[in-house]
Amino acid sequence: MTADGPADALPHDLPHHDPPHDAIVLAGGRASRLGGASKPDVVVRGRRMLAHVLDAVPGASSVVVVGPPTLEVPVGVALTLEDPPDGGPVAGIEAGLAALRGGALDHLGPERWVLLLACDVPLVAGAVPRLLGVGAERRDDTACDGVMVVDGAGREQPLVGLYRAAALASALRRLAAEREVRGASVRSLLGRMRLERLVDDGAASCDVDTWEDVRRIDG
């Protein structure tokens, strides 16, 4: 369904060819509810949260993590940060897009997608194949700019989403023409795009903001 219609449930995994895509993982922020801990380095189910999220994007052509320069990332994963730091999620998205393919997104066609994920969603591997399935289904539907997950409580999770790279870059340009990107909300960015919603009735979109969340996911 479109942004104006009801959300669809996450479909069952169906055979499909993943659309060409890259991935941006936002791993900045102050994590004040975790006592200032480095959120991507918080261990859940025996591994860093960032490791869980990176494992969820094996098919991405390029992967960019937006986080502090001290953050450890695997070989082959790019690390960047908005300048100045602590600019908020939209500034992080802008930095991530600039780092993808040398900032050449303006030359990409509508067939290329970007997985946009937060580092604090360690079970997101359960949602990524379904997001990519929507991308495959909407490959030629230029009226669809992307899809985000809605959790079981009805909360939109825009940082568990798949978006057309060119549409995301265009929305950023339009936002930047009206106001400073630094400090802008993700809603102010994605509200400019034609998006579908998928409902996650499970735990794939559960984020970790507190130590209680860590204990809950650890079981």
Side-chain angles (χ1 to χ4, degrees):
M1 294 291 176
T2 66
D4 295 326
D8 294 328
L10 282 178
H12 296 294
D13 290 328
L14 296 173
H16 64 264
H17 296 291
D18 289 347
H21 64 280
D22 302 297
I24 296 173
V25 180
L26 299 185
R30 297 183 180 277
S32 57
R33 296 172 68 190
L34 285 166
S38 171
K39 186 175 275 192
D41 293 317
V42 170
V43 174
V44 174
R45 296 189 178 182
R47 305 182 66 216
R48 300 163 69 214
M49 286 204 290
L50 180 60
H52 285 290
V53 176
L54 292 177
D55 281 353
V57 295
S61 299
S62 300
V63 180
V64 174
V65 172
V66 183
T70 55
L71 186 62
E72 292 186 12
V73 298
V75 174
V77 172
L79 179 64
T80 191
L81 184 64
E82 69 272 16
D83 184 20
D86 298 321
V90 175
I93 293 168
E94 182 180 49
L97 282 173
L100 278 178
R101 301 180 175 275
L105 285 170
D106 286 344
H107 304 292
L108 294 175
E111 72 281 356
R112 186 142 209 105
W113 300 79
V114 175
L115 277 165
L116 183 58
L117 305 173
C119 73
D120 61 354
V121 191
L123 306 183
V124 75
V128 167
R130 296 169 172 86
L131 290 169
L132 292 172
V134 173
E137 293 173 2
R138 301 292 188 267
R139 190 187 308 262
D140 300 320
D141 181 4
T142 55
C144 174
D145 291 331
V147 56
M148 72 169 73
V149 165
V150 176
D151 67 21
R155 293 183 296 263
E156 293 182 346
Q157 301 291 343
L159 299 185
V160 182
L162 177 74
Y163 307 100
R164 291 190 191 274
L168 190 58
S170 177
L172 265 168
R173 287 194 298 271
R174 295 198 304 272
L175 178 63
E178 297 173 6
R179 56 155 295 167
E180 185 178 4
V181 169
R182 182 179 177 84
S185 68
V186 177
R187 184 181 297 274
S188 70
L189 172 66
L190 300 185
R192 301 160 185 272
M193 300 171 65
R194 299 161 297 180
L195 303 176
E196 298 191 4
R197 272 76 170 169
L198 294 179
V199 174
D200 170 29
D201 288 323
S205 60
C206 288
D207 53 358
V208 173
D209 292 320
T210 67
W211 293 114
E212 180 58 32
D213 292 336
V214 173
R215 289 188 288 271
R216 173 173 48 81
I217 291 180
D218 275 343

